[in-house]
């Protein structure tokens, strides 16, 4: 799997700030590229030459250390400066005050790219233009949930028919009203059926038969999930765009009738879907099947 653009930036920044890389040549060698290519790529992704980027980040880290009580000579040596005097001059040029007055300034310097030192030993990349608000987290989780369920159904399709329905976890119950879910088929079917049932509630449709999910083969469930997942994400996106996630549906099929706000329904579905997906991973492992961890961070890095 090739890293995406953000991961490539991380790799380049790692090389820039690595304490063992004293010059651009060292940075390039640690990244297995030529010095020319390394410098060009860092400048393209950050708008700053690698040497200038390293110098600024190291000065930010130095300021933070000084603010925590470290001495000037100690910081100068730790950050690789040839002497405390050279470090002091560079610090004054960057921050406008001598190191002895580090407490008077923040440790961040103006940057063309939003890349800064982040205590104690990390980097922070500010969101770029247009990314300030970040993505819609609820929508992100919805899409990840559907994608991860699709992945698990695909993996489970490699089980034998006997393994698919085998009660490998007898007596396993997630929610009392859903009944036992002892097999991979039962748990994955419950994930899909839960969305289908709530879709019917919100859309005003007849309550669906559970057999479509509970009695399906892995291939049949995959096709059914594809349709349900698309309807589910589309519906929630439309309500979100219209600012209607606070709408309430009163379900008269419940005894007594109950009211549910849409954002609560979404949280309920995502919570129990995540729990069931974790159960499926454990059950697949007991069948001797390797699966990924379902981590959204790892999923984001896939091509």
């Amino acid at each position: 799997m090739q890293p995406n653009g953000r991961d490539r930036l991380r790799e380049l920044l790692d090389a820039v700030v690595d304490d063992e890389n004293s010059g651009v040549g060292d940075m390039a060698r640690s990244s297995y590229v030529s010095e020319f290519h390394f410098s060009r790529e860092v400048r393209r992704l950050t708008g700053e030459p690698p040497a200038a980027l390293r110098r600024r980040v190291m000065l930010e880290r130095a300021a933070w250390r000084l603010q925590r009580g470290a001495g000037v000579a100690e910081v100068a040596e730790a950050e690789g400066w040839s002497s405390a005097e050279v470090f002091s001059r560079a610090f004054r040029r960057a921050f406008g005050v001598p190191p002895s007055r580090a407490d008077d300034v923040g440790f961040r310097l103006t940057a063309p790219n939003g890349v800064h030192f982040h205590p104690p030993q990390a980097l922070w990349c500010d969101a770029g233009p247009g990314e300030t608000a970040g993505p819609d987290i609820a929508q992100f989780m919805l899409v990840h949930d559907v994608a991860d369920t699709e992945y698990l159904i695909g993996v489970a399709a490699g089980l034998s028919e006997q393994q698919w329905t085998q009660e490998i976890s007898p007596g396993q119950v997630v929610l009392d009203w859903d009944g036992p879910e002892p097999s991979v088929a039962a748990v994955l079917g419950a994930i899909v059926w839960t969305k289908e049932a709530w879709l019917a509630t919100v859309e005003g449709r007849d309550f669906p038969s559970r057999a479509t999910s509970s009695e399906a083969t892995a291939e049949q469930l995959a096709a059914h999930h594809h349709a349900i997942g698309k309807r589910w994400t589309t519906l929630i996106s439309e309500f979100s765009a219209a600012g209607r996630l606070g709408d309430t549906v009163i379900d008269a099929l419940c005894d007594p009738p109950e009211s549910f706000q849409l954002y609560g329904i979404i949280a309920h579905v995502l919570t129990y879907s995540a729990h069931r997906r974790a159960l499926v991973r454990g059950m697949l492992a007991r069948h001797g099947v390797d699966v990924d961890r379902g981590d959204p961070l790892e999923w984001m890095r896939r091509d």
Side-chain angles (χ1 to χ4, degrees), residues 8-23:
R8 181 54 180 160
L9 175 60
R10 175 187 57 79
E11 292 175 354
L12 294 172
L13 292 176
D14 284 346
V16 169
V17 300
D18 190 325
D19 289 338
E20 296 184 4
N21 295 338
S22 58

Side-chain angles (χ1 to χ4, degrees), residues 53-302:
L53 174 59
R54 176 185 174 86
R55 179 186 180 91
R56 178 177 56 76
V57 171
M58 294 302 99
L59 281 168
E60 290 181 343
R61 186 168 70 179
W64 175 76
R65 287 179 169 175
L66 290 168
Q67 291 165 7
R68 290 175 62 86
V72 175
E74 174 190 353
V75 171
E77 181 179 3
E79 297 298 338
W81 295 88
S82 58
S83 69
E85 291 74 17
V86 173
F87 166 69
S88 295
R89 287 197 296 270
F91 189 94
R92 181 188 286 272
R93 283 196 299 270
F95 289 97
V97 297
S100 59
R101 291 179 53 197
D103 286 342
D104 295 343
V105 295
F107 63 78
R108 276 192 171 196
L109 292 166
T110 301
N113 44 42
V115 178
H116 295 280
F117 165 72
H118 185 66
Q121 291 290 341
L123 292 176
W124 184 280
C125 299
D126 293 339
E131 297 180 313
T132 304
D136 184 317
I137 296 175
Q139 185 66 24
F140 172 81
M141 294 180 69
L142 284 167
V143 174
H144 172 257
D145 170 54
V146 170
D148 195 44
T149 302
E150 179 182 7
Y151 163 77
L152 289 173
I153 295 174
V155 172
L159 297 174
S160 67
E161 184 177 341
Q162 186 271 335
Q163 289 174 317
W164 172 247
T165 58
Q166 180 184 352
E167 296 190 359
I168 195 170
S169 299
Q172 177 171 269
V173 174
V174 175
L175 292 168
D176 291 341
W177 55 81
D178 283 335
E181 299 173 21
S183 65
V184 171
V187 180
L188 286 172
I191 293 174
V192 179
W193 183 79
T194 297
K195 292 185 179 68
E196 186 176 14
W198 282 112
L199 273 170
T201 298
V202 176
E203 294 175 335
R205 298 177 181 234
D206 291 336
F207 201 69
S209 168
R210 190 165 184 175
T212 308
S213 297
S214 63
E215 299 176 8
T217 65
E219 291 76 13
Q220 291 169 338
L221 187 63
H224 189 51
H225 169 260
H226 179 76
I228 295 300
K230 185 175 181 179
R231 280 175 52 200
W232 171 251
T233 53
T234 299
L235 178 79
I236 302 307
S237 295
E238 290 174 350
F239 272 91
S240 178
R244 296 182 55 195
L245 293 182
D247 283 10
T248 299
V249 58
I250 300 175
D251 191 348
L253 294 178
C254 296
D255 186 17
E258 291 190 49
S259 61
F260 305 97
Q261 288 182 299
L262 288 182
Y263 62 79
I265 292 173
I266 296 168
H268 168 85
V269 171
L270 290 176
T271 296
Y272 285 101
S273 181
H275 176 58
R276 285 182 166 115
R277 285 186 277 115
L279 290 178
V280 170
R281 281 182 161 83
M283 297 167 82
L284 287 171
R286 290 162 64 190
H287 280 303
V289 178
D290 291 331
V291 288
D292 68 13
R293 290 176 291 197
D295 186 345
L297 290 174
E298 295 176 355
W299 175 69
M300 288 171 63
R301 297 189 178 112
R302 294 179 186 169

Side-chain angles (χ1 to χ4, degrees), residues 8-9 12 33 35-48:
R8 181 54 180 160
L9 175 60
L12 294 172
V33 295
E35 184 172 335
F36 171 78
H37 180 77
F38 181 85
S39 296
R40 184 177 63 179
E41 195 164 8
V42 170
R43 187 186 288 270
R44 178 180 66 84
L45 290 173
T46 70
E48 195 172 13

